[in-house]
């Protein structure tokens, strides 16, 4: 049976991606207490045993998550650790990794600075939920390796790449509207009913689908995604339903199973369902109704247990009226509708995305993390981002590559953004005085909640070159304190 030694490279990449997302160092130990991955200083002790008596080893035994709020204050979980008194960790959260309910490892996030400690305590519930997802993904990877060893099949490899997106979706997004969607998605996670996710391209529809899967009781089974717009019409049917050997010219002699069979007991994500050819729609409808498939060229009815989540940016109601999308299929898919908002309606989240993408691409380029000019940050927050998250990451990647200083500035913007005329303060229907006030409020809000200035009003007043009393007056005016 597979253990972490089979997926060492995967686990290290996994840890580095989590560290990018959270901004904390990560370490993972196996069931023997050996450190199998780590970031920061932990990277240099991979292969070595974790300290005897450490609270991560205790989590292994109890199979329950735990948090150290303050190592310096000699919390009980640390008392038996042989490095007690020497440890530089200020706060930590650990979560067990279970494989079929057997403890096989622990994943821990570590904070060293007072700021990290405060952030970890403030977001502890969310971080524990996040680690729950990550633990389940590692279990799924180990179970997948078991399956591959037993069957010699590598058909599910496309499925294991999803962990980056799930991690990204678990942390980015504080907008109230988004949280409402997530709450609704969690309520229906264990339902077998079909979900239809609507939203513009680049708004995270697949990430939401993955979150539903990994929150559900199907999380130990495959999440299989297929883009209905990306596969030629003559191949899409065989991709979905599979085929028997010799079913058509060029087919494999032994035949091939389709995505529905790959996803048995799991989830099938049908992206861009609005682009599914009208000729295939009746067959999909029949599968959703009868919960069985028939391969191309086959005569055998194959029962399947698959939760279907579909997504589209198209207006399906309009397509139904025009006859390009079947009405009966529309109602069968639209049992549980969810809507992802464009970035321009989630401006509070843009700052989170900016910081995440800057950190990510600085690490890819192996350079120190860049800061961003507060006024430019506010400009980017107010920009409408027609391409949504994908466009934002594209812009950040460009700026990180092109920046010559430690701070990203206006002249680092891609040309197509720098030439835009829709400056942040212009909004139709507002007077000049109102627009100036709104712009001022946005700048104050951006700086006030930015990590380098958080709660340091004197530093903020110096940065803005205004007196401390003026700053207090403006913060009260805009209800920011």
């Amino acid at each position: 049976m597979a253990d972490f030694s089979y997926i060492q490279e995967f686990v290290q990449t996994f840890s580095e991606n989590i560290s990018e997302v959270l901004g904390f160092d990560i370490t993972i130990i196996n069931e023997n207490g050996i450190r199998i991955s780590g970031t920061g200083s932990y990277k240099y002790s991979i292969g070595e045993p974790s300290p005897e008596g450490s609270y991560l080893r205790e989590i292994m035994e109890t199979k329950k998550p735990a948090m150290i709020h303050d190592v310096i204050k000699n919390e009980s979980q640390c008392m038996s650790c042989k490095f007690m008194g020497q440890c530089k960790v200020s706060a930590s959260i650990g979560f067990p990794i279970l494989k079929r309910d057997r403890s096989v490892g622990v994943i821990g996030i570590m904070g060293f600075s007072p700021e990290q400690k405060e952030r970890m305590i403030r977001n502890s519930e969310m971080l524990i939920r996040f680690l729950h997802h990550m633990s389940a993904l590692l279990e799924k990877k180990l179970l997948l390796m078991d399956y591959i060893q037993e069957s010699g099949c590598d058909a599910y490899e496309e499925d294991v790449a999803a962990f980056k997106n799930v991690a990204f979706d678990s942390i980015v997004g504080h907008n109230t509207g988004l949280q409402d969607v997530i709450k609704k998605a969690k309520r229906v996670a264990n339902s077998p009913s079909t979900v239809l996710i609507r939203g513009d391209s680049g708004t995270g529809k697949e990430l939401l689908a993955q979150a539903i899967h990994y929150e559900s009781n199907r999380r130990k089974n495959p999440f299989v995604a297929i883009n209905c717009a990306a596969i030629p019409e003559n191949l899409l049917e065989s991709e979905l339903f599979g085929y028997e050997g010799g079913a058509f010219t060029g087919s494999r002699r032994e035949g091939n199973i389709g995505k529905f069979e790959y996803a048995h007991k799991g989830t099938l994500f049908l992206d861009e369902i609005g682009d599914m050819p009208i000729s295939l729609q009746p067959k999909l409808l029949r599968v959703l109704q009868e919960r069985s498939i028939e391969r191309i060229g086959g005569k055998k009815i194959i029962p399947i247990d698959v939760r279907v989540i579909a997504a589209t940016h198209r207006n399906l109601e309009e397509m139904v009226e025009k006859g390009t999308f079947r009405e009966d299929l529309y109602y069968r898919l639209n049992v549980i509708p969810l809507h992802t908002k464009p970035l321009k309606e989630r401006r509070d989240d843009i700052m989170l995305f900016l910081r995440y993408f800057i950190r990510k691409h600085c690490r890819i380029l192996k350079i120190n993390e860049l800061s961003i000019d507060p006024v430019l940050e506010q400009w980017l927050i107010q920009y409408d981002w027609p391409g949504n998250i994908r466009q934002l990451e594209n812009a950040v990647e460009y700026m990180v590559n092109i920046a010559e200083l430690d701070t990203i500035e206006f002249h680092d913007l891609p040309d197509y953004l720098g030439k835009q005329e829709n400056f942040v303060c212009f909004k139709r229907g507002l007077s000049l005085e109102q627009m100036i006030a709104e712009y001022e409020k946005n700048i104050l809000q951006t700086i006030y909640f930015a990590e380098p200035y958080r709660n340091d009003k004197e530093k903020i007043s110096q940065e803005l070159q205004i007196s401390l009393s003026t700053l207090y007056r403006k913060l009260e005016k805009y209800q920011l304190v």
Side-chain angles (χ1 to χ4, degrees), residues 33-53:
I34 304 299
R35 198 177 311 280
I36 57 173
S37 79
T39 64
S41 61
Y42 294 106
K43 192 171 185 177
Y44 301 104
S45 58
I46 293 174
E48 299 177 5
S50 62
E52 291 290 341

Side-chain angles (χ1 to χ4, degrees), residues 340-470:
T340 56
K341 289 184 176 182
L343 270 184
K344 65 183 180 182
E345 296 179 20
R346 298 168 48 192
R347 297 196 190 276
D348 292 346
D349 288 342
I350 293 177
M351 192 188 317
L352 298 173
F353 283 112
L354 279 171
R355 292 174 181 170
Y356 167 77
F357 289 136
I358 289 172
R359 185 184 302 123
K360 171 184 174 181
H361 289 288
C362 284
R363 292 195 178 189
I364 289 173
L365 293 176
K366 297 181 179 179
I367 60 176
N368 292 330
E369 187 172 335
L370 303 177
S371 59
I372 185 168
D373 180 278
V375 179
L376 171 59
E377 183 177 60
Q378 187 58 38
W379 193 94
L380 294 169
I381 288 171
Q382 293 299 320
Y383 179 61
D384 278 348
W385 299 107
N388 294 295
I389 299 169
R390 292 194 191 98
Q391 183 190 9
L392 176 60
E393 180 172 13
N394 178 279
V396 171
E397 183 175 359
Y398 174 88
M399 291 187 290
V400 169
N401 274 276
I402 213 73
E404 296 179 352
L405 304 174
D406 293 335
T407 300
I408 298 172
E409 300 179 350
F410 268 97
H411 60 259
D412 298 319
L413 277 172
D415 289 343
Y416 75 91
L417 285 180
K419 294 177 181 178
Q420 296 294 325
E421 297 179 356
N422 55 330
F423 282 90
V424 294
C425 56
F426 179 73
K427 288 191 177 181
R428 296 182 183 277
L430 298 182
S431 68
L432 177 61
E433 184 178 355
Q434 288 172 320
M435 285 188 279
I436 292 173
E438 184 167 311
Y439 184 45
E440 183 177 63
K441 177 184 176 181
N442 286 332
I443 291 177
L444 285 168
Q445 184 171 278
T446 298
I447 297 178
Y448 187 69
F449 292 110
E451 286 295 336
Y453 306 101
R454 188 180 295 275
N455 297 324
D456 191 340
K457 297 180 180 63
E458 186 173 347
K459 190 174 182 180
I460 295 172
S461 65
Q462 291 173 355
E463 178 69 31
L464 296 177
Q465 300 177 34
I466 59 176
S467 69
L468 195 56
S469 60
T470 299

Side-chain angles (χ1 to χ4, degrees), residues 292-309:
S292 62
I293 61 135
E294 190 174 328
R295 295 180 189 172
I296 298 174
K299 298 179 181 179
K300 180 182 176 182
I301 302 298
I302 303 172
I304 54 163
D305 175 11
V306 174
R307 207 279 177 83
V308 172
I309 301 176

Side-chain angles (χ1 to χ4, degrees), residues 35-93:
R35 198 177 311 280
I36 57 173
S37 79
T39 64
S41 61
Y42 294 106
K43 192 171 185 177
Y44 301 104
S45 58
I46 293 174
E48 299 177 5
S50 62
E52 291 290 341
S54 69
Y55 95 105
L56 291 182
R57 286 178 177 256
E58 183 180 326
I59 290 172
M60 187 94 65
E61 297 176 6
T62 64
K63 300 182 182 180
K64 295 180 180 179
M67 178 174 183
I68 302 293
H69 292 82
D70 197 330
V71 172
I72 297 175
K73 290 184 178 179
N74 300 341
E75 293 202 14
S76 59
Q77 298 100 314
C78 298
M79 293 299 289
S80 57
C81 179
K82 70 176 184 178
F83 287 116
M84 184 63 198
Q86 305 172 39
C87 185
K88 296 180 180 179
V89 175
S90 60
S92 177
I93 299 176

